[in-house]
Amino acid sequence: MSNYIESLHWRYATKKFDSTKKLSDEQLNTLLESVRLSASSYGLQPYHIFIVTDKEIRAKLQPASWGQSQIVDASHLIVFAAKTEVDGNWIDTYLENVSTTREIPMESLSGYGDFMKSKILELSSEEQATWAGKQTYLALGNLLSAAAELRIDSCPMEGFEPEVYNDILGLTEKGLHATVIAAVGYRSGDDETQHYKKVRQSKENLETYV
């Protein structure tokens, strides 16, 4: 655990990436697996992730990202896109996966399925979108922690125009909406922010035992 905390101290929101350094396929797959294994409400994972490597597409995304250099210089750009609607079919497909993976009959999951549907399907479209968007942040947290453990630099980013991302990546027609992005790769030696001391609240200000 001490190594994990050390990794969290090591990581920072990288502002300048070295565009000449790329992640190996093994490193990328490890990061993506950390996303796949992320915690998610009911286990439903109501989102999809896009790994953007095409230079032309990333150049188009940069102006919609406040012109930030991480978009084009990082090894990979990962876009988290939440489902805009979670319907009964999505829940049924998840239950089929549970049934197959755990080798249990679908009938034994009907009660759980009905419970999920009673909670999720009654939400408005706006409430569903908000709920699904929150799940992407859980997955993002896993990605950032895994990257730190591997000494891979990262930068979580909300500074972008989701609607433009939706248009460029064709998300709307897929029933998805861009919620948060992450650039991953290796820091540039010119990134002065890597030398800044990490600033966080003290334990006294942040924690209360009840």
Tab-separated table of all heavy atoms in Angstrom, residues 27-59:
chain	number	residue	atom	x	y	z
A	27	GLN	N	1.223	-1.700	-22.170
A	27	GLN	CA	0.885	-0.654	-21.210
A	27	GLN	C	-0.532	-0.132	-21.453
A	27	GLN	O	-1.313	0.040	-20.507
A	27	GLN	CB	1.890	0.492	-21.323
A	27	GLN	CG	3.274	0.172	-20.795
A	27	GLN	CD	4.261	1.277	-21.102
A	27	GLN	OE1	4.296	1.813	-22.212
A	27	GLN	NE2	5.076	1.629	-20.115
A	28	LEU	N	-0.845	0.121	-22.710
A	28	LEU	CA	-2.182	0.615	-23.033
A	28	LEU	C	-3.242	-0.394	-22.620
A	28	LEU	O	-4.268	-0.023	-22.019
A	28	LEU	CB	-2.282	0.919	-24.529
A	28	LEU	CG	-3.658	1.379	-25.017
A	28	LEU	CD1	-4.062	2.686	-24.347
A	28	LEU	CD2	-3.675	1.512	-26.530
A	29	ASN	N	-3.017	-1.658	-22.916
A	29	ASN	CA	-4.003	-2.678	-22.578
A	29	ASN	C	-4.190	-2.794	-21.072
A	29	ASN	O	-5.305	-3.060	-20.597
A	29	ASN	CB	-3.588	-4.028	-23.166
A	29	ASN	CG	-3.748	-4.080	-24.673
A	29	ASN	OD1	-4.575	-3.362	-25.239
A	29	ASN	ND2	-2.950	-4.903	-25.340
A	30	THR	N	-3.128	-2.587	-20.302
A	30	THR	CA	-3.256	-2.609	-18.844
A	30	THR	C	-4.135	-1.458	-18.367
A	30	THR	O	-5.001	-1.633	-17.495
A	30	THR	CB	-1.872	-2.533	-18.177
A	30	THR	OG1	-1.094	-3.665	-18.565
A	30	THR	CG2	-2.005	-2.516	-16.651
A	31	LEU	N	-3.928	-0.280	-18.931
A	31	LEU	CA	-4.764	0.868	-18.557
A	31	LEU	C	-6.226	0.620	-18.921
A	31	LEU	O	-7.133	0.914	-18.127
A	31	LEU	CB	-4.268	2.130	-19.265
A	31	LEU	CG	-2.890	2.665	-18.866
A	31	LEU	CD1	-2.603	3.963	-19.619
A	31	LEU	CD2	-2.805	2.899	-17.364
A	32	LEU	N	-6.447	0.079	-20.101
A	32	LEU	CA	-7.826	-0.175	-20.533
A	32	LEU	C	-8.480	-1.254	-19.684
A	32	LEU	O	-9.682	-1.202	-19.412
A	32	LEU	CB	-7.843	-0.568	-22.012
A	32	LEU	CG	-7.342	0.500	-22.983
A	32	LEU	CD1	-7.388	-0.016	-24.413
A	32	LEU	CD2	-8.155	1.794	-22.861
A	33	GLU	N	-7.687	-2.230	-19.243
A	33	GLU	CA	-8.239	-3.271	-18.383
A	33	GLU	C	-8.623	-2.684	-17.026
A	33	GLU	O	-9.605	-3.105	-16.411
A	33	GLU	CB	-7.226	-4.405	-18.218
A	33	GLU	CG	-7.719	-5.597	-17.415
A	33	GLU	CD	-8.813	-6.412	-18.109
A	33	GLU	OE1	-9.275	-6.010	-19.200
A	33	GLU	OE2	-9.193	-7.458	-17.543
A	34	SER	N	-7.867	-1.696	-16.557
A	34	SER	CA	-8.222	-1.049	-15.286
A	34	SER	C	-9.561	-0.338	-15.412
A	34	SER	O	-10.331	-0.274	-14.444
A	34	SER	CB	-7.127	-0.066	-14.859
A	34	SER	OG	-7.180	1.145	-15.595
A	35	VAL	N	-9.849	0.190	-16.594
A	35	VAL	CA	-11.149	0.822	-16.831
A	35	VAL	C	-12.246	-0.243	-16.869
A	35	VAL	O	-13.312	-0.084	-16.270
A	35	VAL	CB	-11.126	1.628	-18.154
A	35	VAL	CG1	-12.525	2.127	-18.496
A	35	VAL	CG2	-10.157	2.793	-18.048
A	36	ARG	N	-11.978	-1.324	-17.564
A	36	ARG	CA	-12.974	-2.394	-17.691
A	36	ARG	C	-13.354	-2.971	-16.339
A	36	ARG	O	-14.507	-3.354	-16.109
A	36	ARG	CB	-12.438	-3.498	-18.609
A	36	ARG	CG	-13.487	-4.529	-19.027
A	36	ARG	CD	-12.884	-5.602	-19.913
A	36	ARG	NE	-12.058	-6.527	-19.147
A	36	ARG	CZ	-12.548	-7.604	-18.500
A	36	ARG	NH1	-13.846	-7.864	-18.515
A	36	ARG	NH2	-11.726	-8.404	-17.844
A	37	LEU	N	-12.384	-3.023	-15.427
A	37	LEU	CA	-12.618	-3.616	-14.108
A	37	LEU	C	-13.108	-2.606	-13.076
A	37	LEU	O	-13.244	-2.936	-11.903
A	37	LEU	CB	-11.330	-4.280	-13.602
A	37	LEU	CG	-10.836	-5.474	-14.417
A	37	LEU	CD1	-9.484	-5.957	-13.901
A	37	LEU	CD2	-11.852	-6.612	-14.403
A	38	SER	N	-13.394	-1.396	-13.504
A	38	SER	CA	-13.816	-0.352	-12.583
A	38	SER	C	-15.144	-0.678	-11.907
A	38	SER	O	-16.010	-1.358	-12.462
A	38	SER	CB	-13.946	0.975	-13.340
A	38	SER	OG	-14.463	1.981	-12.498
A	39	ALA	N	-15.272	-0.166	-10.701
A	39	ALA	CA	-16.568	-0.230	-10.027
A	39	ALA	C	-17.585	0.573	-10.819
A	39	ALA	O	-17.253	1.556	-11.496
A	39	ALA	CB	-16.443	0.341	-8.616
A	40	SER	N	-18.846	0.131	-10.758
A	40	SER	CA	-19.919	0.832	-11.465
A	40	SER	C	-21.235	0.495	-10.792
A	40	SER	O	-21.430	-0.628	-10.315
A	40	SER	CB	-19.948	0.389	-12.941
A	40	SER	OG	-21.058	0.938	-13.612
A	41	SER	N	-22.137	1.455	-10.735
A	41	SER	CA	-23.433	1.241	-10.106
A	41	SER	C	-24.146	0.048	-10.734
A	41	SER	O	-24.312	-0.016	-11.962
A	41	SER	CB	-24.289	2.512	-10.263
A	41	SER	OG	-25.550	2.340	-9.656
A	42	TYR	N	-24.529	-0.913	-9.908
A	42	TYR	CA	-25.160	-2.164	-10.326
A	42	TYR	C	-24.261	-3.017	-11.215
A	42	TYR	O	-24.673	-4.073	-11.692
A	42	TYR	CB	-26.478	-1.914	-11.080
A	42	TYR	CG	-27.516	-1.134	-10.325
A	42	TYR	CD1	-27.786	0.193	-10.663
A	42	TYR	CD2	-28.234	-1.696	-9.272
A	42	TYR	CE1	-28.742	0.929	-9.975
A	42	TYR	CE2	-29.192	-0.979	-8.580
A	42	TYR	CZ	-29.441	0.336	-8.936
A	42	TYR	OH	-30.386	1.069	-8.249
A	43	GLY	N	-23.044	-2.551	-11.492
A	43	GLY	CA	-22.169	-3.258	-12.422
A	43	GLY	C	-22.519	-3.024	-13.877
A	43	GLY	O	-21.984	-3.684	-14.768
A	44	LEU	N	-23.387	-2.064	-14.155
A	44	LEU	CA	-23.941	-1.895	-15.508
A	44	LEU	C	-22.990	-1.219	-16.503
A	44	LEU	O	-23.157	-1.376	-17.707
A	44	LEU	CB	-25.251	-1.094	-15.436
A	44	LEU	CG	-26.464	-1.867	-14.939
A	44	LEU	CD1	-27.645	-0.926	-14.743
A	44	LEU	CD2	-26.836	-2.974	-15.915
A	45	GLN	N	-22.043	-0.434	-16.027
A	45	GLN	CA	-21.089	0.256	-16.905
A	45	GLN	C	-21.794	0.919	-18.107
A	45	GLN	O	-21.568	0.556	-19.254
A	45	GLN	CB	-20.026	-0.711	-17.402
A	45	GLN	CG	-19.144	-1.254	-16.278
A	45	GLN	CD	-18.143	-2.283	-16.753
A	45	GLN	OE1	-18.530	-3.381	-17.130
A	45	GLN	NE2	-16.875	-1.935	-16.746
A	46	PRO	N	-22.618	1.937	-17.841
A	46	PRO	CA	-23.391	2.566	-18.921
A	46	PRO	C	-22.577	3.588	-19.709
A	46	PRO	O	-22.909	4.773	-19.769
A	46	PRO	CB	-24.535	3.238	-18.157
A	46	PRO	CG	-23.901	3.642	-16.858
A	46	PRO	CD	-22.929	2.532	-16.534
A	47	TYR	N	-21.490	3.139	-20.297
A	47	TYR	CA	-20.617	4.049	-21.036
A	47	TYR	C	-19.778	3.261	-22.033
A	47	TYR	O	-19.751	2.020	-22.027
A	47	TYR	CB	-19.702	4.837	-20.088
A	47	TYR	CG	-18.957	3.998	-19.072
A	47	TYR	CD1	-17.804	3.289	-19.409
A	47	TYR	CD2	-19.409	3.906	-17.752
A	47	TYR	CE1	-17.130	2.523	-18.486
A	47	TYR	CE2	-18.727	3.139	-16.815
A	47	TYR	CZ	-17.594	2.448	-17.181
A	47	TYR	OH	-16.929	1.675	-16.258
A	48	HIS	N	-19.074	3.998	-22.862
A	48	HIS	CA	-18.141	3.413	-23.823
A	48	HIS	C	-16.916	4.305	-23.832
A	48	HIS	O	-17.018	5.511	-23.568
A	48	HIS	CB	-18.771	3.351	-25.220
A	48	HIS	CG	-18.035	2.462	-26.172
A	48	HIS	ND1	-18.251	1.101	-26.226
A	48	HIS	CD2	-17.084	2.738	-27.112
A	48	HIS	CE1	-17.468	0.577	-27.156
A	48	HIS	NE2	-16.749	1.540	-27.704
A	49	ILE	N	-15.753	3.737	-24.089
A	49	ILE	CA	-14.551	4.558	-24.155
A	49	ILE	C	-13.962	4.498	-25.565
A	49	ILE	O	-14.005	3.462	-26.225
A	49	ILE	CB	-13.490	4.143	-23.110
A	49	ILE	CG1	-13.072	2.688	-23.295
A	49	ILE	CG2	-13.995	4.379	-21.706
A	49	ILE	CD1	-11.911	2.280	-22.403
A	50	PHE	N	-13.445	5.634	-25.991
A	50	PHE	CA	-12.841	5.748	-27.313
A	50	PHE	C	-11.370	6.098	-27.144
A	50	PHE	O	-11.034	7.060	-26.447
A	50	PHE	CB	-13.559	6.817	-28.139
A	50	PHE	CG	-14.973	6.446	-28.486
A	50	PHE	CD1	-16.002	6.654	-27.570
A	50	PHE	CD2	-15.282	5.871	-29.705
A	50	PHE	CE1	-17.307	6.301	-27.871
A	50	PHE	CE2	-16.580	5.510	-30.021
A	50	PHE	CZ	-17.594	5.722	-29.102
A	51	ILE	N	-10.505	5.311	-27.763
A	51	ILE	CA	-9.068	5.544	-27.709
A	51	ILE	C	-8.686	6.211	-29.023
A	51	ILE	O	-8.679	5.571	-30.078
A	51	ILE	CB	-8.285	4.230	-27.493
A	51	ILE	CG1	-8.746	3.535	-26.211
A	51	ILE	CG2	-6.784	4.508	-27.427
A	51	ILE	CD1	-9.898	2.571	-26.397
A	52	VAL	N	-8.414	7.502	-28.944
A	52	VAL	CA	-8.190	8.285	-30.162
A	52	VAL	C	-6.693	8.371	-30.436
A	52	VAL	O	-5.940	8.983	-29.671
A	52	VAL	CB	-8.785	9.702	-30.025
A	52	VAL	CG1	-8.705	10.437	-31.359
A	52	VAL	CG2	-10.238	9.632	-29.539
A	53	THR	N	-6.278	7.755	-31.532
A	53	THR	CA	-4.873	7.791	-31.937
A	53	THR	C	-4.679	8.509	-33.264
A	53	THR	O	-3.566	8.939	-33.568
A	53	THR	CB	-4.306	6.365	-32.055
A	53	THR	OG1	-5.086	5.621	-33.008
A	53	THR	CG2	-4.357	5.640	-30.710
A	54	ASP	N	-5.748	8.623	-34.053
A	54	ASP	CA	-5.662	9.267	-35.367
A	54	ASP	C	-5.264	10.738	-35.213
A	54	ASP	O	-5.953	11.516	-34.552
A	54	ASP	CB	-7.013	9.153	-36.079
A	54	ASP	CG	-6.963	9.643	-37.508
A	54	ASP	OD1	-6.916	10.890	-37.700
A	54	ASP	OD2	-6.966	8.818	-38.428
A	55	LYS	N	-4.152	11.118	-35.831
A	55	LYS	CA	-3.623	12.473	-35.664
A	55	LYS	C	-4.569	13.524	-36.231
A	55	LYS	O	-4.708	14.621	-35.656
A	55	LYS	CB	-2.255	12.579	-36.340
A	55	LYS	CG	-1.158	11.791	-35.635
A	55	LYS	CD	0.191	12.004	-36.316
A	55	LYS	CE	1.298	11.244	-35.598
A	55	LYS	NZ	2.612	11.427	-36.252
A	56	GLU	N	-5.225	13.228	-37.326
A	56	GLU	CA	-6.130	14.200	-37.932
A	56	GLU	C	-7.347	14.444	-37.041
A	56	GLU	O	-7.785	15.595	-36.890
A	56	GLU	CB	-6.567	13.724	-39.318
A	56	GLU	CG	-5.445	13.720	-40.354
A	56	GLU	CD	-5.935	13.364	-41.737
A	56	GLU	OE1	-7.163	13.192	-41.914
A	56	GLU	OE2	-5.089	13.255	-42.652
A	57	ILE	N	-7.873	13.395	-36.479
A	57	ILE	CA	-9.026	13.552	-35.585
A	57	ILE	C	-8.629	14.329	-34.340
A	57	ILE	O	-9.354	15.224	-33.882
A	57	ILE	CB	-9.612	12.181	-35.204
A	57	ILE	CG1	-10.219	11.506	-36.438
A	57	ILE	CG2	-10.663	12.331	-34.099
A	57	ILE	CD1	-10.782	10.128	-36.170
A	58	ARG	N	-7.457	14.031	-33.798
A	58	ARG	CA	-7.014	14.739	-32.596
A	58	ARG	C	-6.761	16.218	-32.896
A	58	ARG	O	-7.031	17.089	-32.059
A	58	ARG	CB	-5.776	14.058	-32.018
A	58	ARG	CG	-6.150	12.737	-31.344
A	58	ARG	CD	-4.957	11.887	-30.971
A	58	ARG	NE	-4.138	12.493	-29.953
A	58	ARG	CZ	-3.191	11.823	-29.291
A	58	ARG	NH1	-2.972	10.546	-29.547
A	58	ARG	NH2	-2.460	12.431	-28.375
A	59	ALA	N	-6.288	16.514	-34.091
A	59	ALA	CA	-6.095	17.912	-34.484
A	59	ALA	C	-7.444	18.629	-34.569
A	59	ALA	O	-7.543	19.821	-34.234
A	59	ALA	CB	-5.370	17.986	-35.827
